[in-house]
Amino acid sequence: MLPASPIDVDDVAHRVSELQGVIEVQRRRARQHLQLAAKIHGSLLPAPVRNERIDVDVRYLPIEGVGGDYCQVLFPSDDVCYITICDVTGHGIGAALLATRVSSEVRHAVLSEQSPAQALEALNAFVYANFAEAGLYLTFVAARIDLAARELTWSGAGHPSPVLLRSDGTTIPLASQNL
């Protein structure tokens, strides 16, 4: 057995100080990355829509700075408004990135004028094919509003049932058709 080497307390204190500096730099970088992710995530939320046929407004209050929620309001034509809502389980950069990717996939489906059920089926296939092993799950609802015919078609997966708020203030729960 070798004799123990004397410990230079000044060397240890200097090394601890250096490591604390490295840790602080890494914390600052992580905060900056999370702030950027939160800004990008916030850009997924639509601006209010106000016109003679429809008013749409979205409010989002995140529990944490970055999450997996998003909402889209799209008009594939003058007479059709799509509203989609998604919630990826969990919080953090992974959930936010998946929400961003889902947003892109859904935008394609909506602008291709797929029905809400078709968009949901395509989204389910996409998520399963690409992210099944990620351990992230999502709920989703899509509503297609035909502004000329004043008809609403919707489809949902795992999301709580939406509520239709009429202009007279009455509400109609849109009962879930799935578990």
Side-chain angles (χ1 to χ4, degrees):
M1 180 174 273
L2 297 174
S5 302
I7 297 174
D8 184 337
V9 174
D10 289 336
D11 283 346
V12 171
H14 178 70
R15 184 67 181 137
V16 167
S17 178
E18 286 178 343
L19 291 174
Q20 285 174 331
V22 169
I23 290 169
E24 185 52 38
V25 167
Q26 293 302 320
R27 282 186 182 148
R28 234 185 336 255
R29 285 184 184 156
R31 271 193 304 272
Q32 289 171 341
H33 287 294
L34 285 173
Q35 287 170 344
L36 177 59
K39 185 174 184 174
I40 292 168
H41 182 252
S43 74
L44 292 174
L45 298 176
V49 174
R50 305 268 186 266
N51 66 44
E52 65 280 352
R53 297 195 292 176
I54 191 168
D55 288 344
V56 180
D57 206 350
V58 175
R59 295 287 184 261
Y60 175 66
L61 302 170
I63 293 173
E64 295 181 23
V66 177
D69 306 302
Y70 90 88
C71 175
Q72 287 187 85
V73 178
L74 299 169
F75 289 85
S77 69
D78 289 341
D79 288 331
V80 174
C81 174
Y82 258 89
I83 300 173
T84 61
I85 300 170
C86 176
D87 183 5
V88 178
T89 58
H91 300 279
I93 293 176
L97 284 171
L98 182 54
T100 302
R101 187 60 187 97
V102 166
S103 171
S104 173
E105 197 67 21
V106 169
R107 176 179 288 276
H108 171 74
V110 168
L111 296 178
S112 300
E113 299 192 36
Q114 293 181 10
S115 71
Q118 291 169 323
L120 183 63
E121 288 173 11
L123 176 62
N124 188 57
F126 170 78
V127 169
Y128 183 78
N130 293 284
F131 302 105
E133 76 289 342
L136 293 172
Y137 302 96
L138 59 95
T139 62
F140 182 79
V141 66
R144 180 186 185 276
I145 305 166
D146 183 323
L147 299 170
R150 300 178 57 93
E151 292 178 346
L152 172 77
T153 308
W154 71 280
S155 186
H159 207 79
S161 296
V163 175
L164 176 63
L165 174 62
R166 295 195 176 273
S167 60
D168 65 4
T170 59
T171 59
I172 300 172
L174 302 176
S176 178
Q177 299 169 351
N178 54 29
L179 299 175

